[in-house]
């Protein structure tokens, strides 16, 4: 009935000037221009956006969830990367 | 709207990967969210695809009964509000199809299932909207019931579904308020207007109570959905919450709920409804409600008549790609 699969796009919204774009969701559209128009209709009906990005979903390279442990766990033990690891006497004041 | 406990039941997953399944359940128990790339039992995936797609179909079919009144709304204010509401429902359908797609099924496949009559959607949209007061009753009661159902889904274990529900719930509350406002205006109007509101309530009340799905004793799948934290309250619990919230609103409107057995139980502090006619619910689900055929025909026609737009968009995109390739 409907063999017309159109590409998937990921939508990112900057809600206010000065903020970063954040992922809002995804949609199907034949091309970038239509993706932008659809994103505007679908995700910004109540003044949610100051700017929109659409990115072909196929262009996103994601880390492998099976490698999440290998990639991200080693930092768990590196507490010396945080300021609270270091002792500064109270008399020194705020540092 | 409008998820309804229809038949999201699935057989137990094969015991093949029991260690992975145990790890999966432990993550659920720890209130972690499951994301598309994570391991999940096949039965969990299938249950979600079915529930999310039924929910998406309901949003899309749900545009029809209200769309029926857009051109006949009694004022520009009402027309703008109704148009915005129906547009929201279309958006809800799209958020939900996108959430279902993260589980590895194409939206086109789901839409084809709907058009072929092989998929279910909420029973409530198979009732007709006969008068303007029906638009008030739908917003107040149907969207009200939907909100009861959907708020717990914002904490559903499947991340993309939960996130779609958060967005949807934010948009729903205006739907209910605009419906209640329509009812209130009619109830404060002439005797004929108030009678119109009462008539709409009389026709919508029982079908709305049915929206929460069959009673717990008869719903065979609740256990799985509860264990997987897809469904956090049972059908009867949600129906009760809705009843307790809605009876005082009807009283405020000065309308009478069409249930002679309705009574307040001072011991529990809950309202008790009379018996629901589940035979009617079954008939509507089986395709024999007042508007089942009309709804599907309208969807099919809209899909067919929009075919040239999809084709043209694709041809245009193709042409631009080719021109760009030549220029490069
Ligand atoms: Fe909705
Ligand atoms: Fe709604």
């Amino acid at each position: 009935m409907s063999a017309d699969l159109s590409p998937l796009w990921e939508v990112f919204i900057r809600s206010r000037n000065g903020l970063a774009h954040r992922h809002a969701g995804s949609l199907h559209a034949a091309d970038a221009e239509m993706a932008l128009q659809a994103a505007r209709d679908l995700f910004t009906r109540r003044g949610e956006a100051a700017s929109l990005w659409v990115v072909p979903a196929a262009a996103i390279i994601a880390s492998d969830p099976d490698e999440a442990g290998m990639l991200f766990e080693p930092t768990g033990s590196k507490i010396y990367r945080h300021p609270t690891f270091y002792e500064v006497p109270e008399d020194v004041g705020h540092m | 709207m409008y998820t309804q406990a229809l038949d999201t039941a699935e057989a137990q997953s094969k015991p093949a990967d029991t260690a992975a399944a145990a790890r999966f359940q432990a993550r659920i128990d720890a209130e972690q969210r499951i994301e598309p790339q994570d391991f999940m039992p096949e039965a969990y995936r299938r249950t979600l695809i079915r529930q999310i797609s039924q929910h998406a179909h309901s949003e899309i079919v749900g545009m029809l009964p209200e769309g029926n009144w857009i051109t006949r709304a009694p004022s520009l204010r009402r027309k703008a509000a109704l148009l915005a509401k129906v547009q929201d429902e279309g958006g809800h359908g799209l958020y939900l199809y996108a959430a279902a797609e993260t589980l590895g099924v194409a939206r086109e496949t789901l839409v084809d299932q709907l058009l072929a009559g092989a998929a279910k959607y909420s029973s409530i949209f198979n009732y007709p909207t006969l008068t303007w007061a029906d638009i008030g009753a739908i917003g107040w009661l149907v969207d009200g019931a939907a909100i009861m159902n959907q708020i717990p889904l914002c904490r559903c274990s499947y991340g993309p579904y939960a996130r779609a529900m958060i967005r949807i719930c934010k948009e729903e509350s205006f739907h209910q308020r605009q419906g209640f406002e329509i009812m209130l205006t009619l109830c404060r109007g002439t005797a004929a207007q108030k009678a119109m509101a009462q008539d709409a309530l009389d026709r919508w009340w029982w079908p709305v109570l049915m929206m929460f799905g069959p009673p717990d004793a008869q719903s065979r799948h609740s256990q799985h959905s509860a264990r997987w934290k897809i469904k956090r309250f049972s059908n009867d619990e949600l129906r009760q919450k809705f009843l307790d919230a809605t009876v005082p609103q009807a009283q405020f409107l000065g309308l009478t709920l069409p249930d002679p057995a309705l009574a307040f139980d001072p011991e529990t502090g809950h309202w008790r409804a009379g018996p629901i006619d589940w035979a009617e619910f079954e008939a509507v689900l089986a395709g024999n409600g007042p508007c089942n055929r009309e709804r599907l025909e309208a969807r099919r026609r809209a899909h067919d008549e929009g075919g040239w737009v999809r084709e043209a968009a694709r041809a245009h995109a193709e042409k631009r790609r080719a021109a760009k390739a030549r220029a490069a």
Side-chain angles (χ1 to χ4, degrees):
Chain A
M1 241 183 280
S2 37
D4 46 339
L5 294 146
S6 54
L8 187 68
W9 303 78
E10 298 299 332
V11 179
F12 298 83
I13 293 178
R14 182 202 294 283
S15 57
R16 266 188 298 121
N17 191 279
L19 295 181
H21 284 78
R22 280 187 63 176
H23 186 241
S26 44
L27 53 81
H28 287 275
D31 61 26
E33 197 185 332
M34 291 190 72
L36 263 184
Q37 286 168 355
R40 177 223 177 237
D41 288 344
L42 195 53
F43 293 105
T44 71
R45 289 196 299 278
R46 289 174 175 80
E48 292 94 334
S51 157
L52 273 174
W53 286 351
V54 291
V55 180
I60 290 177
I61 317 293
S63 63
D64 182 347
D66 290 339
E67 290 179 0
M70 185 187 79
L71 289 170
F72 308 120
E73 260 162 33
T75 65
S77 58
K78 296 183 172 57
I79 50 172
Y80 47 83
R81 286 177 174 169
H82 297 276
T84 46
F85 182 75
Y86 302 94
E87 264 174 55
V88 176
E90 247 175 64
D91 305 347
V92 179
H94 178 73
M95 184 182 280
Chain B
M1 247 255 83
Y2 303 93
T3 171
Q4 184 169 54
L6 296 172
D7 61 345
T8 46
E10 273 299 340
Q12 294 272 18
S13 50
K14 280 165 263 154
D17 205 347
T18 41
R23 271 199 306 278
F24 172 81
Q25 190 60 46
R27 290 192 60 194
I28 300 260
D29 294 343
E31 293 291 334
Q32 286 186 24
R33 291 288 177 271
I34 308 301
E35 294 297 335
Q37 307 302 324
D38 296 345
F39 168 84
M40 63 187 84
E42 257 322 289
Y44 177 83
R45 181 190 301 275
R46 282 198 307 269
T47 298
L48 276 170
I49 289 177
R50 195 178 309 179
Q51 176 169 333
I52 299 172
S53 62
Q54 283 174 353
H55 194 164
H57 300 328
S58 301
E59 302 282 355
I60 298 297
V61 177
M63 297 164 80
L64 297 171
E66 290 179 292
N68 182 33
W69 278 91
I70 290 174
T71 57
R72 293 177 289 162
S75 69
L76 186 58
R77 181 177 188 271
R78 295 289 186 217
K79 183 185 253 184
L82 185 57
L83 201 53
K85 178 186 190 291
V86 172
Q87 192 185 6
D88 275 355
E89 307 299 6
H92 297 173
L94 293 183
Y95 305 153
L96 288 163
Y97 283 128
E101 283 196 310
T102 64
L103 292 157
V105 58
R107 183 178 72 184
E108 284 78 357
T109 306
L110 300 174
V111 170
D112 284 350
Q113 287 169 359
L114 172 69
L115 298 180
K120 290 197 170 85
Y121 56 86
S122 181
S123 55
I124 196 75
F125 301 117
N126 292 311
Y127 291 86
T129 40
L130 303 179
T131 72
W132 171 250
D134 288 24
I135 300 306
I138 289 182
W140 171 37
L141 300 172
V142 176
D143 289 82
I147 291 169
M148 280 299 170
N149 237 322
Q150 289 175 164
I151 285 178
L153 285 172
C154 296
R155 294 185 295 127
C156 159
S157 60
Y158 188 57
Y161 192 25
R163 290 191 287 275
M165 291 317 307
I166 290 171
R167 184 171 278 279
I168 288 172
C169 283
K170 264 192 213 159
E171 300 184 352
E172 281 298 345
S173 75
F174 121 69
H175 299 180
Q176 190 184 17
R177 289 173 65 112
Q178 65 90 36
F180 188 78
E181 197 194 85
I182 290 172
M183 293 302 268
L184 191 59
T185 306
L186 291 171
C187 289
R188 287 177 175 170
T190 63
Q193 286 171 325
K194 186 160 183 188
M196 192 197 269
Q198 181 65 56
D199 166 66
L201 176 59
D202 290 347
R203 284 181 289 107
W204 288 94
W205 178 248
W206 290 107
V208 163
L209 289 186
M210 294 173 199
M211 278 175 67
F212 295 95
D216 295 351
Q218 284 160 42
S219 98
R220 42 201 181 92
H221 52 84
S222 296
Q223 285 172 332
H224 284 115
S225 284
R227 190 161 48 87
W228 286 328
K229 299 201 173 157
I230 295 172
K231 193 167 166 64
R232 288 174 184 265
F233 295 97
S234 76
N235 297 353
D236 286 336
E237 283 170 335
L238 290 168
R239 192 167 11 248
Q240 187 61 54
K241 276 178 188 241
F242 174 77
L243 194 64
D244 289 337
T246 310
V247 173
Q249 294 166 359
Q251 290 171 336
F252 183 88
L253 291 171
L255 296 175
T256 309
L257 292 168
D259 179 358
L262 183 73
F264 186 72
D265 178 358
E267 242 167 61
T268 57
H270 290 301
W271 285 90
R272 297 282 172 227
I276 295 173
D277 178 7
W278 291 110
E280 176 181 326
F281 175 73
E282 295 297 333
V284 175
L285 272 196
N288 300 317
C291 299
N292 293 58
R293 243 152 276 161
E294 189 185 325
R295 299 291 183 238
L296 265 192
E297 268 164 34
R299 282 312 313 152
R300 287 191 191 119
R301 200 176 338 113
H303 193 77
D304 290 346
E305 288 174 359
W308 71 270
V309 178
R310 295 189 293 278
E311 237 168 79
R314 209 168 45 244
H316 180 68
E318 199 42 60
K319 208 166 121 188
R320 296 246 297 224
R321 249 193 308 277
K324 217 171 166 185
R326 264 199 311 278

